[in-house]
Amino acid sequence: MKIKLADSYGFCFGVKRAIRLAEGAPNAIVIGELIHNRREIERLEKNFGVRLTNNIDEIAKSDAAIIRTHGVEKEAKAKLLATAGAIIDATCPYVTKPQKIAEAMSAEGYQVVIFGDRTHPEVKGVLSYADKNAAVAANPADLEDIDLADRIALISQTTKSIASFNEVAVALIAKTKELRVFNTICNATYDNQEATRELAKEVDIMVIIGGKNSSNTKQLYAIAAELCADSFLVEDAVELRREWFKNKSLCGVSAGASTPDWIIEEALKTIEAF
Ligand code: SF4
């Protein structure tokens, strides 16, 4: 069996930047998970003393606080500015952008609609920059439950697929008088998705490596599973199963934007050994 890697996979610019910032701030406290990869977070805890909290009230003047790649809500950031000794803002610039758009469009009187998962920290953060009438839709059907205004600004969660974003945009055109569409899907996500799509078409087994709580990893898996029936999502080499690879001739491999190279290499070695 041969193994083929996707043309674009793994760590994105935003995650690399966040890890670099965390490595340069030993013993700092991260608000929420810095990136959606448990193993990499464990490495940062072990080697750099980086700690994690979900409670901003725990931050004291003596602490340096790291804001995760997905950002935090506007109120949380204001609170951190007032309480933390220092702030290391690892919010990915691709996430800061929709936050700014949400704020600016609200100020211009547009109702902000975010295409995304309402429970995702990035979406909660972006929502906090918009006016109260802002809403979140995970698909066109969700629009039915929203009291839509005549002027709407549509923004996407950075890790969504462009095809699904298009569906929401098309559905909105019929439901409002004026629609402004901001494509805030980040290039890293898009490139990884397209490369996975191409690879999944030609292989007979596809392995996606990444955190099971990572939105972009889950998107890669969904794309792969559509085109290759034998697609598997694993967090690391330990989850790989020898029997998956029996009678297969070409194995495609891709990885989410928060999957470090060392986890990918471990998985590749295990597949090679099978
Ligand atoms: S996937 Fe995109 S938005 Fe998310 S951290 Fe990476 S570069 Fe930033």
Side-chain angles (χ1 to χ4, degrees):
M1 186 192 76
K2 287 199 172 116
I3 300 171
K4 190 171 177 186
L5 280 160
D7 282 345
S8 172
Y9 65 92
F11 261 9
C12 60
F13 148 80
V15 167
K16 276 188 199 154
R17 177 176 168 270
I19 289 172
R20 209 176 47 241
L21 288 170
E23 287 178 347
N27 305 318
I29 301 182
V30 191
I31 319 300
E33 288 187 328
L34 181 70
I35 59 168
H36 275 162
N37 193 290
R38 185 178 44 86
R39 299 269 319 267
E40 180 63 9
I41 287 172
E42 282 165 10
R43 187 189 72 86
L44 290 169
E45 280 171 358
K46 193 165 155 239
N47 297 346
F48 298 91
V50 172
R51 290 164 292 151
L52 184 148
T53 182
N54 287 310
N55 183 3
I56 286 187
D57 294 331
E58 282 178 12
I59 306 285
K61 267 279 173 240
S62 53
D63 293 323
I66 305 178
I67 299 178
R68 63 193 170 198
T69 44
H70 294 127
V72 291
E73 289 164 44
K74 193 177 178 181
E75 305 72 31
K77 190 165 181 182
K79 200 165 181 185
L80 277 177
L81 283 167
T83 55
I87 290 183
I88 297 118
D89 193 351
T91 310
C92 176
Y94 284 114
V95 173
T96 314
K97 192 172 154 202
Q99 290 175 346
K100 285 186 178 154
I101 293 171
E103 196 163 39
M105 286 294 101
S106 288
E108 284 190 36
Y110 287 84
Q111 179 187 27
V112 171
V113 174
I114 304 167
F115 165 54
D117 168 7
R118 71 181 69 248
T119 62
H120 194 282
E122 176 194 316
V123 173
K124 286 185 187 171
V126 173
L127 194 61
S128 71
Y129 283 82
D131 269 0
K132 292 248 176 308
N133 66 350
V136 181
N139 48 53
D142 281 356
L143 298 173
E144 304 300 331
D145 303 326
I146 302 171
D147 190 10
L148 294 166
D150 284 345
R151 297 168 78 217
I152 290 176
L154 177 65
I155 301 171
S156 178
Q157 185 178 342
T158 53
T159 46
K160 287 294 176 192
S161 83
I162 196 83
S164 319
F165 185 48
N166 280 346
E167 284 173 17
V168 175
V170 167
L172 265 177
I173 289 171
K175 293 179 181 297
T176 188
K177 298 270 181 276
E178 185 189 341
L179 177 65
R180 294 194 60 180
V181 180
F182 295 87
N183 179 1
T184 47
I185 295 171
C186 92
N187 289 346
T189 305
Y190 181 74
D191 291 348
N192 282 1
Q193 286 173 358
E194 287 311 296
T196 296
R197 192 184 314 280
E198 286 311 307
L199 187 57
K201 283 180 195 163
E202 60 170 300
V203 299
D204 49 9
I205 175 168
M206 192 76 197
V207 176
I208 307 292
I209 310 160
K212 291 193 177 130
N213 56 348
S214 153
S215 168
N216 78 81
T217 302
K218 285 190 281 185
Q219 289 280 343
L220 290 183
Y221 172 69
I223 289 168
E226 243 177 52
L227 297 155
C228 174
D230 285 320
S231 291
F232 300 92
L233 169 58
V234 295
E235 292 221 341
D236 53 29
V238 178
E239 294 185 359
L240 290 163
R241 293 289 167 265
R242 185 185 291 271
E243 57 269 24
W244 297 344
F245 302 91
K246 260 190 198 150
N247 304 323
K248 300 289 192 241
S249 54
L250 183 58
C251 170
V253 175
S254 185
S258 50
T259 312
D261 285 347
W262 61 273
I263 289 183
I264 300 169
E265 275 155 27
E266 275 179 11
L268 287 172
K269 274 192 198 138
T270 304
I271 297 172
E272 272 164 18
F274 288 160

